[in-house]
Amino acid sequence: MQAGMTPNADATRVALVLDAGGARSAYQVGALEVLLPALAERGMRPRLLVGTSAGALLTGALSATAHLEPEDQVARLKSLLGQTTKANVMRPLWRQVPEVLVRYTSETFGVSYFRLRGLFGSQPLARTLATSIDWEALHRNVENGVIEAAAVTATSVRTGRVIVFTESGSPVPRSAPEYHGRFVAVRLDVPHLMASAAIPVLFPSVHVGEPAEAEGWYVDGATRRRAPLAPALELGADRVVVVGTGGLRPPADPELDRVAVDLGDAGATLLGTVMDDPLRHDLRRLAELNALTGDAELAPVLKRHREARGRSAYQTIPYVAVAPEDGEELARTAMQVFRANHGSLLRTLGDPDLQVMHRLLGSDSPLQGELLSYLLFDPDFFAAASAFGHRDALRWVEQHPDMWRTDRLPDPGN
């Protein structure tokens, strides 16, 4: 802990929930550039940090810098973002092809030792996380009470269980079967973050060895989690700040349904289903629960129902929710950056991976930009996405001077 720093004395337990998004996490960095100072100005700082997939990487970085001023935290986040270029995230596809072919062939002939676990090698990301996050500072911040808990969500490959790897100064909550989730106390390290961010098929599943009770193979935490806000609430959050990367509304143009589809469309739809939809629905559920807890007749009934199950009563949870209103804005931007930076023959010869994927998955697909936006680890895309997040967070703060709301979000566009 730095000189003069004391454990977070604010009695309000603010949770910061950072959802999945791949390369779209740049949007979250831009939003946090506004939200972290705005919270500090109001005497509050996040004490519970919960992340999934790319949000888990940011959670690790924020937990390691929680003892710093918000502006310094943001600077460290931007530094991490600047390091997560393609070369520092995944192995070049041309280097991966021989290994993929060997592993695929071995499985075809029943040689189980050489299993194919993903198309892109993620060893560069592991090295980036090991060197760019101050892990000892993260552990000190938890031990000294600067933050109460740092948690990242991963999905067990074999059983489909949602595991919330949690480093906390207090005992972790017991399992929450209604959320298909289980908290596991850990000393967070690179494998836990890698497991949370391992998008199935694209990136290899990750073996987690510690703690022994949760040893096994894991993939992206967004794969099976049903309620992205649940871990923060189970950890005891009084208020929740959530930053997502998926649109607050799905595309509504019926004409799109008449356009022929291909493999890329299926991939983009699958990613949207597991990464975008749960957060949108969970925000709606939270607002509905807030309305019920504010109902003088229904609140006692809910309280008795929860107590009968051995759980604490629901309470009204004020929240901040920043996510793109136009879910296609990031997709359009990804296509523009791709064409400008990766579309020429010279650029393709220098780095053919994205162009090859673009062609294999259907280059004329209407949803191609959606898929690319998760994988475009490009500084120009980062800059644009970050600007969108900054703009949307600033709009929230301007529309909510005290930061919080409890009711349902209005339908975008109204």
Side-chain angles (χ1 to χ4, degrees):
M1 182 178 293
Q2 288 186 345
M5 289 296 297
T6 58
N8 197 331
D10 180 11
T12 303
R13 306 175 84 187
V14 176
L16 175 61
V17 178
L18 299 173
D19 209 32
R24 291 175 168 218
S25 60
Y27 176 95
Q28 295 170 309
V29 173
L32 292 171
E33 186 176 13
V34 174
L35 296 176
L36 292 179
L39 286 169
E41 289 172 4
R42 292 158 178 79
M44 289 178 283
R45 297 188 65 171
R47 302 174 65 182
L48 305 167
L49 304 176
V50 179
T52 299
S53 192
L57 311 187
L58 297 182
T59 291
L62 286 168
S63 300
T65 59
H67 58 288
L68 302 178
E69 293 301 319
E71 292 78 7
D72 295 325
Q73 281 192 282
V74 171
R76 297 287 183 90
L77 282 183
K78 288 184 174 180
S79 176
L80 174 62
L81 183 65
Q83 296 178 57
T84 54
T85 55
K86 180 175 171 292
N88 291 330
V89 172
M90 63 183 76
R91 291 179 64 190
L93 187 59
W94 65 269
R95 292 183 60 186
Q96 190 77 6
V97 167
E99 181 179 341
V100 168
L101 291 176
V102 169
R103 290 183 180 276
Y104 182 77
T105 302
S106 69
E107 288 202 12
T108 301
F109 287 97
V111 182
S112 60
Y113 181 77
F114 296 104
R115 292 186 180 274
L116 177 62
R117 297 190 176 95
L119 297 178
F120 288 96
S122 56
Q123 298 92 331
L125 178 59
R127 291 192 292 270
T128 299
L129 294 176
T131 57
S132 62
I133 293 178
D134 187 340
W135 293 95
E136 290 305 315
L138 186 158
H139 305 319
R140 284 197 305 271
N141 285 337
V142 175
E143 292 169 2
N144 295 336
V146 177
I147 57 175
E148 291 190 28
V152 299
T153 303
T155 304
S156 172
V157 174
R158 293 297 188 185
T159 64
R161 292 185 305 168
V162 177
I163 302 299
V164 186
F165 293 111
T166 307
E167 182 162 349
S168 173
S170 304
V172 300
R174 62 186 178 87
S175 301
E178 63 265 42
Y179 297 124
H180 195 55
R182 176 187 172 206
F183 287 88
V184 174
V186 298
R187 185 177 171 87
L188 285 176
D189 206 344
V190 172
H192 304 109
L193 272 61
M194 291 289 293
S196 183
I199 300 176
V201 180
L202 294 178
F203 298 109
S205 52
V206 175
H207 182 263
V208 174
E210 295 291 338
E213 65 180 287
E215 181 182 1
W217 292 91
Y218 293 87
V219 291
D220 197 298
T223 307
R224 296 291 291 270
R225 61 96 167 87
R226 302 168 182 169
L229 303 182
L233 300 181
E234 292 294 321
L235 285 168
D238 299 314
R239 297 170 185 259
V240 175
V241 178
V242 56
V243 185
T245 64
L248 291 175
R249 60 176 176 179
D253 183 0
E255 293 298 320
L256 289 176
D257 293 329
R258 299 183 175 89
V259 180
V261 300
D262 53 30
L263 184 61
D265 294 315
T269 299
L270 178 61
L271 280 174
T273 299
V274 300
M275 293 191 175
D276 299 349
D277 294 351
L279 179 59
R280 190 163 52 236
H281 298 324
D282 216 17
L283 284 170
R284 185 178 300 115
R285 282 194 294 266
L286 178 62
E288 291 170 350
L289 274 176
N290 283 342
L292 292 175
T293 57
D295 188 303
E297 294 183 2
L298 290 177
V301 177
L302 283 174
K303 184 175 184 295
R304 289 194 297 272
H305 170 72
R306 292 281 289 178
E307 289 176 346
R309 303 174 68 193
R311 309 192 71 82
S312 59
Y314 288 123
Q315 60 176 319
T316 299
I317 305 293
Y319 69 91
V320 172
V322 175
E325 288 193 2
D326 178 4
E328 299 177 64
E329 185 175 43
L330 287 169
R332 290 193 299 268
T333 303
M335 282 303 305
Q336 292 167 2
V337 171
F338 172 79
R339 292 189 179 111
N341 294 356
H342 306 275
S344 68
L345 177 61
L346 183 61
R347 294 292 183 93
T348 298
L349 291 175
D351 184 2
D353 290 2
L354 285 174
Q355 187 64 248
V356 169
M357 283 194 60
H358 182 54
R359 297 296 175 183
L360 287 176
L361 296 176
S363 57
D364 60 347
S365 162
L367 294 181
Q368 185 68 199
E370 183 82 10
L371 191 59
L372 282 172
S373 68
Y374 291 99
L375 300 173
L376 195 59
F377 297 95
D378 180 294
D380 289 339
F381 177 65
F382 287 166
S386 181
F388 295 151
H390 188 282
R391 175 203 63 198
D392 292 347
L394 193 60
R395 181 188 300 130
W396 179 281
V397 173
E398 290 173 347
Q399 293 176 350
H400 305 83
D402 67 345
M403 293 287 288
W404 309 100
R405 71 181 302 152
T406 58
D407 58 334
R408 182 171 173 174
L409 291 171
D411 291 333
N414 292 344

